[in-house]
Amino acid sequence: MNPGSELLRDFERELRRDFSGDIRMDRFTRVLYATDASIYEIEPLGVLLPRCHADVAAAVSAAARLGIPLLARGGGTSLAGQTVGAAVILDFSRHMNRILGFDPEERSARVEPGVVLDQLNAHLAPAGWMFGPDVSTANRATLGGMVGNNSSGSRSIIHGKTIDHVREMRALLSSGLDTSLRELGSEEWRGKTALAGTEGDLYRALDRIVSAAAGEIATRYPRVMRRVGGYNLDSFVDTSRRNLCRMIAGSEGTLAIFTEVLVNLVPAPRHKGLCVVHFDDLTAALEATAEILPLGPAAVELIDKMILDLTRRQAAFARRLTFVEGDPAAILLVEFHGNSPAEVQGRLDSLERCLRAHSRGTAFVRSEDAAEQARIWAVRKAGLGMLSSMRGDAKPVAFIEDTAVEPADLARYVGRLQEILATHGTRAGCYGHASAGCLHIRPILNLKSAEGVRRMTEIAAAVKDLVVEFGGAMSGEHGDGLSRSHWNRELFGEEIYRAFKDVKQAFDPIGIMNPGKIVDAPPMDRNLRYGPEYAAAAIATHLDFSLEGGFARAVEQCNGLGACRKSGSGTMCPSYLATREEEHSTRGRANALRAALSGKLPLQSLAAPRLHAALDLCLECKACKTECPANVDMAKVKYEFLAHYHAHHGTPLRARLFGRIASLSRAASATAPLSNWLLRSALARHTLQRALGIHPARRLPLFARETFAAWLRRHPVPRREGKVKVVLFNDTFANYNEPDVARAALRLLLESGAEVMVPEVVCCGRPMISRGLLDDARENARRNVEILAAPARAGAFIVGCEPSCILTLREEYPDLLRSEDSRTVAGQVMLLEEFLARQVDEGGWKPSFTDSPRSVLVHGHCHQKSLAGEAPALRLLRLPAGYRVQEVASGCCGMAGAFGYEKEHYEISLQIGELSLFPAIRSADPGTEIVASGTSCRQQILHATRKRAYHFAETLVRALPQ
């Protein structure tokens, strides 16, 4: 079905009369929604963001009259292509994301389909309840998507699948029927079949379909628990109570669209224990699963060596691998629940005794600490992203990743599957739900080649036959979509497949509900995001993208898994968290750039203003580089984009001035305090607003009359011979705006026993890089590397106070200069707190602090959190006995250098800060000292909360004897 443009215009005109949500029919938005987390790409006909049930009803009514296909979508994290199609997409995640009710006595919650799983569980946690199925994408997966996909997760052996927890829903059929679905007894069901009209026709049709296919259903449906392929006809055979919700669950939006769902809840476990069992052989790990299951675990999850190795290459996740000993071939995460710590410990003891008795496992690492367990599970949940982080065109591909067999057969099944892969000259990453016999196995293939596509289809056919041989399911969790729907006729047989088509006809006689999924599907090699015909423009870059394989491949690192849409943890992605717009997610930006580079968008490559608008709200926080398991570095991509954009359109005055803030600061400091008075004057504020677009409510930071460099000329660094040599990098902001920070840092370095040098350097170039002035930044980098290379080669550490400045030497200098000296300098760079923590750890510094009680609230700079971590600063601040230190669970402050000063960004800058940072500061106890290592963070905190924040060095130095 492919309606013409006139019909689509009629659809849009009709909708605009009654639709209160957002209607997006433009090409740019359609491209953003053309992909999900699968290997497929289909440009939709348009995108709707409904606000209420009436909006959805209006859309269904108009679509039914005009024959316009509809596709319901939540987070867009589908791995089989369920949420892409030539249809009008209804995105429920933006507006219809409300928790409508929670009844602890009934153990239920009523939600709209756009509610994210973690959002629901956070709401339920204080009362001790949770939604049972717990998918790896819980921080962005919506309940609507989970119902549509019949999701399950790591603990399905105790909680089952989503179908087991759906109680009621309000649904719309393409016929216009607006109905409430719930469990019905035999008499109630018969009453429904006696009704006249559409509703009665539906119930009578289902009775007829199930009765005719009952024998085949009994013999052909896989007996494994994790079967989500096809339609759930088996839920309507030989039962006295039936619920049409069980037919909608797992139907992938092909039968109806629901706007509310009532779900069952389960008690949150009181206590958890986790044991990481190490194996030197994958087969041994799989065989051990069958021995573990009788012990009653809540989860048994596998991670293989390929994923562990990829995890070690990503700094943010590598820091969490403390639970891995040596270099195992595979590990099993075995979780137990209990009513007391003693019960959990006893069950962990039983596990270890059992496995040792069977000579299973080479190491057993236990965890009963909730925070540590969360870190371990974070590595497991990042499995797909870790595989996607593999560089190059050949990547682990999801198409047979969802098979399920009996756990007792798992080792034999995987062995046979590996033989199939070897025959086709490839291997696969392997992880997932060993407890349920559902492993996610992704062969490494290059789908940009005809050979790679051919091998994919041949492997899929062979694995399909293997699954049938083992009595398993082709889809154990991720659904049919475009990857597996075409196998349903062979998997279930002709009679059941005909029944599936009859079900589709009964619910959706005009065929507008997500067509082409489950039945009447195209071959699996159609509509590929990357196929033999795919080509992207080659871009000559200012930065070094050789590690990524070029600029286009850096963009292509995004596989659509949507980690940038997560909420409740981490920093990524600040602008998306504030706007909830797909365009402002890392995924949205990557999709737009990829479409431009591959010619899918009629744009002037990297010179299009529409692309600039999409990238404009990227705050360059770098969180995506570390928090995205696929290792997408959108900040670096944006720097390069801006350089090309300015080359085409010219560099704006504001970009030139902010990029050269060091020169302006030098002049302002030389004339302070007159310059400060002038900058605070009404005339200056008006001029800055008119000429540079500075928001009138903002105040530029004050300038110091005596810079840190000038102070050093009066107070030279004491000459001393130290075991450790340090170069203190005198950054622009510490030098001209906050010399107190630099003086505090110098004292701490001297106290730590280091021999300190403070050479005359130039601006690190960070302001230039952020504005795309990469040629200017390269010149500054060259000058600084000339100064710093010799001490770096001699083993001196290069230490700085301002995270964004000093980490530029580590992150951007090798990309700008591509030289051995730049890499040598980068290898010696440390944040101040990293160096001081090293001195403490290695016994070079045993600080003696005064016992002065102080409450300290710490907010980490984005670059600090993303590239180094906050642990060193927190550890140091906790050394003084009287300091009570708490970390703010915050993301980006919203300032991002000059971003928050600009009038077009001012409101969103504050929105980002209001997500968590500002409320935490306002609610802190009186007298609490706020610590923030970033100068822009301190400016933002002062502006929004009227509370001064200090650099951690200032706070720590006050605990030293004065």
Side-chain angles (χ1 to χ4, degrees):
M1 183 182 295
N2 189 14
S5 57
E6 188 58 42
L7 278 178
L8 285 171
R9 283 193 289 270
D10 291 344
F11 175 76
E12 183 178 359
R13 280 194 295 268
E14 184 171 336
L15 262 195
R16 290 198 181 278
R17 292 197 295 268
D18 304 311
F19 202 82
S20 65
D22 307 312
I23 301 174
R24 313 272 177 82
M25 307 296 282
D26 63 285
R27 181 78 191 282
F28 194 86
T29 300
R30 299 201 311 269
V31 164
L32 298 184
Y33 282 82
T35 59
D36 50 15
S38 72
I39 59 177
Y40 297 101
E41 179 172 33
I42 303 176
E43 188 175 313
L45 305 176
V47 178
L48 306 179
L49 292 85
R51 292 183 182 273
C52 58
H53 175 86
D55 280 352
V56 182
V60 172
S61 176
R65 278 194 296 277
L66 297 168
I68 306 293
L70 296 175
L71 195 166
R73 174 164 161 150
T77 58
S78 160
L79 288 165
Q82 294 94 319
T83 56
V84 297
V88 172
I89 288 177
L90 289 97
D91 180 354
F92 287 96
S93 66
R94 175 105 197 277
H95 300 305
M96 293 187 68
N97 52 21
R98 294 174 286 258
I99 298 171
L100 303 174
F102 163 44
D103 189 336
E105 292 186 5
E106 288 292 320
R107 299 187 172 195
S108 67
R110 186 176 296 276
V111 301
E112 291 180 321
V115 168
V116 171
L117 177 57
D118 274 358
Q119 172 195 352
L120 175 62
N121 283 336
H123 182 80
L124 302 171
W129 296 94
M130 60 179 281
F131 185 67
D134 55 338
V135 293
S136 296
T137 53
N139 56 14
R140 68 261 194 200
T142 64
L143 266 290
M146 292 181 68
V147 173
N149 221 45
N150 194 11
S151 301
S152 44
S154 299
R155 299 171 181 87
S156 62
I157 52 175
I158 58 173
H159 294 315
K161 298 175 289 190
T162 299
I163 192 174
D164 303 311
H165 300 272
V166 177
R167 191 183 297 185
E168 298 177 9
M169 63 173 60
R170 186 177 184 184
L172 291 156
L173 274 61
S174 63
S175 62
L177 181 64
D178 185 342
T179 183
S180 294
L181 307 179
R182 60 180 179 83
E183 186 177 76
L184 302 175
S186 298
E187 290 300 318
E188 291 176 293
W189 184 274
R190 277 195 291 271
K192 291 286 188 182
T193 63
L195 293 174
T198 302
E199 188 172 14
D201 290 344
L202 175 62
Y203 282 86
R204 286 188 291 274
L206 283 178
D207 265 358
R208 184 173 60 254
I209 294 166
V210 172
S211 176
E216 282 289 286
I217 293 170
T219 57
R220 291 299 297 263
Y221 267 63
R223 292 284 176 254
V224 294
M225 183 266 286
R226 293 287 285 268
R227 190 277 310 162
V228 301
Y231 291 125
N232 296 314
L233 291 170
D234 53 336
S235 291
F236 296 85
V237 177
D238 299 329
T239 177
S240 60
R241 304 193 68 81
R242 300 176 183 176
N243 189 339
L244 278 190
C245 293
R246 296 181 69 85
M247 187 63 78
I248 304 301
S251 67
E252 302 180 8
T254 61
L255 303 182
I257 294 176
F258 57 91
T259 58
E260 293 180 18
V261 60
L262 183 72
V263 295
N264 290 325
L265 305 176
V266 300
R270 293 184 180 180
H271 300 278
K272 297 179 184 178
L274 190 62
C275 185
V276 182
V277 188
H278 296 52
F279 297 87
D280 54 14
D281 179 73
L282 175 62
T283 301
L286 298 175
E287 290 173 344
T289 301
E291 294 156 3
I292 295 170
L293 290 176
L295 302 176
V300 184
E301 295 287 297
L302 175 87
I303 304 176
D304 78 347
K305 178 174 170 55
M306 183 184 293
I307 293 177
L308 291 174
D309 288 345
L310 289 168
T311 303
R312 290 187 179 98
R313 298 177 192 172
Q314 294 204 39
F317 288 92
R319 292 194 289 266
R320 299 170 178 170
L321 278 182
T322 55
F323 59 89
V324 177
E325 295 184 359
D327 188 23
I331 58 174
L332 290 177
L333 311 184
V334 186
E335 181 177 276
F336 289 99
H337 297 169
N339 292 318
S340 67
E343 181 183 351
V344 171
Q345 289 169 8
R347 303 186 80 176
L348 291 172
D349 289 342
S350 297
L351 169 71
E352 192 165 343
R353 281 197 302 272
C354 171
L355 293 181
R356 288 188 185 279
H358 291 87
S359 300
R360 302 287 194 193
T362 58
F364 301 82
V365 178
R366 293 191 187 190
S367 173
E368 295 171 54
D369 175 74
E372 184 181 24
Q373 289 180 44
R375 288 192 292 272
I376 295 172
W377 279 112
V379 172
R380 158 59 190 91
K381 290 182 176 184
L384 166 61
M386 290 300 171
L387 287 172
S388 301
S389 71
M390 190 176 290
R391 302 291 185 182
D393 289 336
K395 291 185 181 293
V397 179
F399 65 100
I400 57 163
E401 88 297 346
D402 201 27
T403 58
V405 298
E406 285 293 338
D409 296 331
L410 197 53
R412 287 194 304 118
Y413 169 78
V414 171
R416 293 276 300 281
L417 194 150
Q418 288 178 326
E419 291 174 5
I420 292 172
L421 298 180
T423 299
H424 289 83
T426 188
R427 58 194 179 98
C430 182
Y431 69 97
H433 318 297
S435 58
C438 180
L439 291 184
H440 303 320
I441 300 172
R442 290 178 165 80
I444 299 172
L445 297 170
N446 177 12
L447 295 188
K448 291 181 179 178
S449 69
E451 173 66 13
V453 174
R454 182 188 64 77
R455 289 163 73 194
M456 177 182 72
T457 58
E458 291 178 356
I459 290 170
V463 170
K464 176 259 303 177
D465 292 340
L466 184 65
V467 166
V468 172
E469 178 186 335
F470 274 81
M474 198 70 179
S475 179
E477 178 176 38
H478 297 157
D480 289 336
L482 296 168
S483 294
R484 289 174 281 274
S485 291
H486 67 295
W487 296 123
N488 278 337
R489 189 189 300 270
E490 294 183 53
L491 290 168
F492 290 94
E494 191 64 46
E495 186 174 341
I496 291 180
Y497 186 74
R498 187 165 58 249
F500 287 169
K501 297 190 69 170
D502 290 342
V503 168
K504 171 70 171 174
Q505 176 70 20
F507 276 89
D508 179 25
I510 58 177
I512 65 168
M513 297 294 188
N514 200 9
K517 317 302 188 323
I518 298 184
V519 297
D520 298 323
M524 68 176 298
D525 57 355
R526 301 269 179 88
N527 305 304
L528 295 175
R529 186 191 310 188
Y530 303 112
E533 71 287 349
Y534 175 86
I539 301 294
T541 59
H542 299 76
L543 297 170
D544 184 5
F545 283 89
S546 59
L547 179 63
E548 296 88 342
F551 183 78
R553 285 192 179 92
V555 172
E556 293 165 10
Q557 275 299 112
C558 175
N559 71 348
L561 57 88
C564 46
R565 291 170 57 98
K566 65 186 174 66
S567 59
S569 64
T571 300
M572 181 177 69
C573 177
S575 51
Y576 172 77
L577 290 172
T579 68
R580 299 288 172 174
E581 288 278 5
E582 179 71 17
E583 177 178 334
H584 299 144
S585 68
T586 304
R587 179 175 73 181
R589 296 181 181 114
N591 275 339
L593 283 163
R594 182 173 45 79
L597 292 169
S598 61
K600 289 187 171 67
L601 276 176
L603 302 175
Q604 297 172 304
S605 189
L606 299 188
R610 188 64 185 86
L611 271 182
H612 185 277
L615 284 156
D616 186 46
L617 294 191
C618 170
L619 277 70
E620 304 165 15
C621 66
K622 291 184 176 285
C624 53
K625 179 172 182 177
T626 51
E627 291 181 21
C628 173
N631 207 205
V632 177
D633 189 351
M634 188 52 63
K636 182 178 178 181
V637 167
K638 182 183 177 181
Y639 307 149
E640 189 68 42
F641 167 83
L642 287 176
H644 288 261
Y645 188 82
H646 294 331
H648 185 86
H649 294 283
T651 304
L653 174 63
R654 185 170 69 187
R656 292 200 301 270
L657 290 178
F658 278 136
R660 297 177 176 86
I661 190 66
S663 299
L664 297 176
S665 297
R666 186 182 309 112
S669 284
T671 56
L674 176 61
S675 57
N676 292 327
W677 177 82
L678 286 173
L679 285 172
R680 297 299 165 104
S681 69
L683 177 61
R685 292 204 304 273
H686 178 74
T687 302
L688 289 170
Q689 181 184 353
R690 291 289 299 274
L692 299 181
I694 304 298
H695 194 279
R698 289 289 189 188
R699 300 291 183 270
L700 292 174
L702 296 174
F703 294 93
R705 174 61 176 169
E706 183 178 51
T707 65
F708 179 57
W711 181 85
L712 278 175
R713 286 192 287 272
R714 292 197 303 111
H715 304 86
V717 179
R719 291 183 175 274
R720 64 166 65 168
E721 287 293 328
K723 291 182 180 179
V724 181
K725 293 178 171 56
V726 169
V727 173
L728 176 59
F729 189 88
N730 186 17
D731 68 81
T732 296
F733 305 106
N735 190 38
Y736 296 115
N737 301 107
E738 298 178 293
D740 286 348
V741 170
R743 288 196 288 267
L746 177 59
R747 175 159 184 208
L748 289 170
L749 289 171
L750 293 172
E751 289 279 346
S752 76
E755 179 182 341
V756 184
M757 300 168 280
V758 188
E760 291 189 18
V761 295
V762 296
C763 172
C764 67
R766 163 59 52 197
M768 299 170 181
I769 293 168
S770 295
R771 297 287 160 168
L773 306 176
L774 299 184
D775 289 337
D776 293 341
R778 182 178 298 106
E779 177 58 24
N780 278 29
R782 184 190 61 76
R783 292 171 64 186
N784 283 332
V785 167
E786 285 179 354
I787 296 166
L788 300 172
R793 283 194 296 269
F797 293 104
I798 302 163
V799 173
C801 306
E802 173 60 34
S804 62
C805 291
I806 192 64
L807 291 173
T808 298
L809 279 66
R810 182 192 291 180
E811 289 290 304
E812 276 76 36
Y813 276 19
D815 285 334
L816 283 165
L817 299 177
R818 314 183 194 201
S819 67
E820 189 59 37
D821 278 353
S822 65
R823 289 187 285 271
T824 299
V825 167
Q828 294 299 108
V829 165
M830 283 188 173
L831 290 173
L832 174 66
E833 55 265 37
E834 287 182 295
F835 174 79
L836 294 176
R838 176 187 180 278
Q839 288 292 87
V840 172
D841 290 343
E842 296 190 358
W845 184 33
K846 297 179 181 177
S848 176
F849 293 110
T850 58
D851 188 5
S852 55
R854 191 180 301 246
S855 293
V856 179
L857 188 64
V858 182
H859 163 72
H861 185 281
C862 289
H863 292 188
Q864 172 192 17
K865 287 188 284 193
S866 300
L867 304 175
E870 294 168 278
L874 293 169
R875 284 175 51 217
L876 291 166
L877 287 169
R878 287 174 176 141
L879 290 178
Y883 278 22
R884 299 183 303 279
V885 180
Q886 181 182 354
E887 181 183 7
V888 183
S890 59
C892 180
C893 73
M895 183 64 101
F899 179 90
Y901 285 97
E902 298 162 353
K903 60 184 178 182
E904 67 269 31
H905 300 146
Y906 177 74
E907 294 297 336
I908 193 170
S909 168
L910 295 181
Q911 284 178 343
I912 292 169
E914 289 289 357
L915 292 171
S916 56
L917 176 59
F918 301 161
I921 291 174
R922 294 189 192 109
S923 62
D925 292 337
T928 297
E929 185 160 310
I930 312 301
V931 169
S933 289
T935 185
S936 59
C937 301
R938 295 193 291 275
Q939 291 292 324
Q940 177 81 317
I941 290 167
L942 179 63
H943 177 77
T945 70
R946 298 294 183 262
K947 293 187 178 180
R948 181 180 175 185
Y950 296 88
H951 191 280
F952 105 93
E954 295 177 285
T955 298
L956 193 61
V957 85
R958 280 194 286 275
L960 291 171
Q962 299 302 310

